[in-house]
Amino acid sequence: NAGVTQTPKFQVLKTGQSMTLQCAQDMNHNSMYWYRQDPGMGLRLIYYSASEGTTDKGEVPNGYNVSRLNKREFSLRLESAAPSQTSVYFCASSLWTGPNEQFFGPGTRLTVL
Amino acid sequence: AQTVTQSQPEMSVQEAETVTLSCTYDTSESDYYLFWYKQPPSRQMILVIRQEAYKQQNATENRFSVNFQKAAKSFSLKISDSQLGDAAMYFCAYTNFGNEKLTFGTGTRLTIIP
């Protein structure tokens, strides 16, 4: 039982390049989330998927797109990376949204030059 | 909008001693949930403890306990018998029914002194 997995663990991009961060969970959870973590700040929600087939914007969605590929997988895409998107990205999942425990992946450290 | 404030960027404690991390929050909701998450150097976020606002009894999990003061909107975490493995960033977080997301504080970095 791997929990929440993320790939890649590290990535360096040049400004304007695109990439997709992958996330998968094997806990049969319905809800999945993407957060970013910046120094001196807590985690901020980028997008979430309350259930398979739905996605919604979080607190900081600009510059990102997401796809809920199936119940297990939720990807985050940067179409044209900017230095302001340098951050650590976490994927999380929970049984449902609301007051349920969220389980986090190990994070992806992204640097945009 | 809900906000979560952790006013202690860094704390340190001697091994085996007790330390308390502070958290305050602002909400107009009456039914909500509070969490403490631990982020060790491995970066993996791990749930430490959770408190339902409707429960008057403070939550405890082994060496971890909370002091939940609903009227004061305060939610502190007490770690007893601190161990080297407790060294981490600790984040306080809030959510309520009908709210899809967790709102996190900015974190407190806890150092354990051997």
Side-chain angles (χ1 to χ4, degrees), chain B:
Chain B
Q2 293 84 8
T3 59
V4 177
T5 302
Q6 294 180 250
S7 59
Q8 305 155 314
E10 296 183 354
M11 293 279 287
S12 60
V13 63
Q14 293 280 150
E15 193 176 1
E17 296 296 308
T18 296
V19 64
T20 299
L21 309 183
S22 301
C23 173
T24 58
Y25 58 94
D26 187 27
T27 182
S28 58
E29 303 288 334
S30 59
D31 190 11
Y32 52 86
Y33 297 76
L34 297 160
F35 306 83
W36 278 99
Y37 277 87
K38 171 184 177 181
Q39 186 181 41
S42 66
R43 290 203 312 243
Q44 187 89 37
M45 296 281 285
I46 304 162
L47 180 66
V48 175
I49 201 164
R50 143 190 173 138
Q51 175 78 44
E52 292 85 350
Y54 65 85
K55 290 187 179 178
Q56 294 187 347
Q57 187 171 8
N58 289 326
T60 63
E61 286 288 344
N62 300 314
R63 298 181 296 107
F64 298 87
S65 61
V66 299
N67 183 4
F68 174 49
Q69 302 288 329
K70 192 172 184 179
K73 295 182 181 175
S74 171
F75 181 61
S76 59
L77 175 70
K78 186 171 84 171
I79 306 174
S80 303
D81 185 27
S82 297
Q83 300 176 0
L84 294 177
D86 296 333
M89 282 287 287
Y90 286 82
F91 291 95
C92 179
Y94 164 100
T95 192
N96 56 269
F97 270 113
N99 189 352
E100 300 80 10
K101 71 183 185 79
L102 286 174
T103 299
F104 285 87
T106 53
T108 297
R109 182 175 302 280
L110 179 64
T111 301
I112 311 296
I113 304 167

Side-chain angles (χ1 to χ4, degrees), chain A:
Chain A
N1 196 348
V4 180
T5 57
Q6 291 181 235
T7 55
K9 286 187 167 50
F10 300 93
Q11 184 70 48
V12 179
L13 293 178
K14 294 181 180 178
T15 297
Q17 288 186 317
S18 62
M19 78 161 296
T20 300
L21 280 64
Q22 306 286 354
C23 174
Q25 52 91 10
D26 62 1
M27 294 175 283
N28 201 33
H29 284 168
N30 295 284
S31 303
M32 298 184 73
Y33 313 81
W34 277 106
Y35 292 91
R36 60 178 289 173
Q37 182 180 26
D38 301 297
M41 306 185 76
L43 278 70
R44 293 181 294 167
L45 184 66
I46 305 171
Y47 271 94
Y48 68 96
S49 171
S51 61
E52 186 179 358
T54 70
T55 60
D56 284 286
K57 295 178 181 179
E59 190 180 349
V60 288
N62 291 344
Y64 306 95
N65 285 300
V66 291
S67 295
R68 184 74 183 266
L69 304 170
N70 47 55
K71 191 172 185 179
R72 291 186 62 248
E73 298 174 286
F74 188 38
S75 63
L76 178 72
R77 182 159 178 85
L78 286 70
E79 291 290 351
S80 179
S84 61
Q85 295 177 304
T86 294
S87 188
V88 179
Y89 291 85
F90 288 95
C91 178
S93 72
S94 62
L95 186 59
W96 291 108
T97 57
N100 294 289
E101 178 183 356
Q102 291 189 18
F103 294 81
F104 287 79
T108 296
R109 182 176 294 279
L110 174 66
T111 301
V112 183
L113 302 175

